[in-house]
């Protein structure tokens, strides 16, 4: 139990201190206070009707920059290649980065008709085979579990020579 608390405190220092207003008054991730030791896989579910933590930003004082700014910052921190893969349908927009350092991945689902509440079974995530036939269907909890189940921890991920040299100082 003590180890979990220490991990939680460490994560709080690294994750929750990631925003600040720039000189132009626009809230954005604070580059100085968010420096994870390893690339971190992220999956996010955001509702476009969320008034608690609006995806576009604004809202409460702790949530001034939006989801897009946060995703771009995580992609930068994880050294992801490219602008990501964007897929849109009637219910959602999905953005994913798969080519990130250390095997990290970032996936974001922007749900058109959802609020701040956990999407549970309000949206189903389907996978398809090459012929367009549905091969699986999961709710948000199942999709999140699948995402992290298929994510390697930093200890399991071999480093490239450049990453190893960077860590060595």
């Amino acid at each position: 139990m003590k180890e979990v608390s220490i991990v939680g405190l460490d994560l709080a220092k690294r994750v929750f201190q990631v925003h600040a207003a720039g000189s132009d008054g626009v809230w954005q991730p604070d580059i100085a206070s968010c420096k994870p030791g390893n690339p971190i896989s992220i999956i996010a579910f955001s509702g476009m009707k969320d008034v608690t933590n609006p995806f576009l930003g604004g809202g409460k004082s702790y949530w001034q920059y939006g989801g897009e700014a946060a995703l771009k910052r995580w992609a930068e921190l994880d050294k992801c290649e490219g602008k990501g893969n964007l897929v849109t349908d009637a219910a959602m927009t999905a953005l994913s980065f798969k080519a990130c350092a250390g095997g990290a991945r970032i996936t974001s689902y922007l749900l058109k008709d959802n609020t701040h509440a956990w999407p549970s079974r309000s949206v189903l995530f389907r996978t398809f085979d090459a012929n367009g036939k549905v091969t699986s269907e999961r709710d948000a909890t199942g999709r999140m579990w699948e995402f992290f189940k298929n994510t390697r921890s930093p200890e399991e991920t071999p480093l490239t020579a450049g990453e190893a040299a960077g860590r060595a100082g």
Side-chain angles (χ1 to χ4, degrees):
M1 189 66 91
K2 185 176 181 182
E3 292 175 19
V4 173
S5 297
I6 291 170
V7 170
L9 289 172
D10 186 48
L11 286 174
K13 289 179 199 170
R14 295 171 190 255
V15 176
F16 294 112
Q17 297 176 0
V18 296
H19 59 83
S23 60
D24 58 359
V26 176
W27 284 81
Q28 55 193 331
D30 182 8
I31 294 170
S33 68
C34 185
K35 296 181 180 182
N38 295 304
I40 299 171
S41 289
I42 304 287
I43 186 168
F45 299 88
S46 304
M48 281 303 291
K49 295 182 178 179
D50 184 345
V51 295
T52 305
N53 297 335
F55 185 80
L56 299 176
K60 306 221 184 246
S61 62
Y62 64 84
W63 192 264
Q64 291 299 297
Y65 64 88
E68 185 176 356
L71 291 169
K72 286 180 180 178
R73 179 63 180 142
W74 279 114
E76 182 183 328
L77 288 167
D78 284 351
K79 298 179 177 79
C80 300
E81 296 175 11
K83 294 184 179 189
N85 183 37
L86 188 68
V87 177
T88 301
D89 69 18
M92 77 179 88
T93 298
L95 174 64
S96 59
F97 294 89
K98 295 181 180 171
C100 304
R105 298 175 301 141
I106 297 172
T107 299
S108 170
Y109 295 103
L110 184 55
L111 309 172
K112 179 182 173 192
D113 292 323
N114 288 72
T115 63
H116 187 71
W118 182 246
S120 187
R121 295 193 171 274
S122 62
V123 177
L124 294 178
F125 300 86
R126 297 177 178 97
T127 55
F128 301 88
D129 65 15
N131 299 317
K133 181 182 174 187
V134 175
T135 56
S136 70
E137 189 171 80
R138 292 179 177 78
D139 64 6
T141 304
R143 176 64 192 106
M144 184 174 62
W145 176 249
E146 175 187 56
F147 178 85
F148 286 115
K149 184 173 76 171
N150 294 317
T151 299
R152 296 169 71 176
S153 72
E155 294 79 29
E156 300 171 321
T157 306
L159 297 176
T160 66
E163 290 171 327
R167 287 192 188 174

